[in-house]
Amino acid sequence: GKVRVAPIMSPALGRGGATYRSVRGTIRTAWTVKDGQFRLDVELPGGVEGEVMLPGGRVASAVAGPNRFSGKL
C-alpha cells in the first residue's frame, strides 16, 4: 500500500505529529520547527510506502520503518 503524508508544519506551534492505526499497522509522524529549519520523522508499517510532502512543494519517498527528513522551512 501507499500513503501520503502532508503535515502542515507551523513555526507558531514549534512541534506536532500524529498517529494513525491503519489496517496495515501504525503510521506515526512527528515534526519540529526551529530557527527556520524543520525535522520530520515518519514511521510506516511493513509493506507500506509513502509519499511525503515537504515545505516548498518538495516531495520525498518514505519506506517501511523509520524515515527522517530535514531542511529549510
Side-chain angles (χ1 to χ4, degrees), residues 31-51:
W31 59 265
T32 58
V33 173
K34 186 175 181 182
D35 299 327
Q37 300 288 316
F38 76 89
R39 185 179 82 198
L40 171 63
D41 293 314
V42 176
E43 187 172 346
L44 302 177
V48 175
E49 297 176 356
E51 178 180 66

Side-chain angles (χ1 to χ4, degrees), residues 44-69:
L44 302 177
V48 175
E49 297 176 356
E51 178 180 66
V52 182
M53 311 307 288
L54 299 173
R58 294 169 289 174
V59 180
S61 296
V63 296
N67 299 264
R68 178 168 282 175
F69 307 93

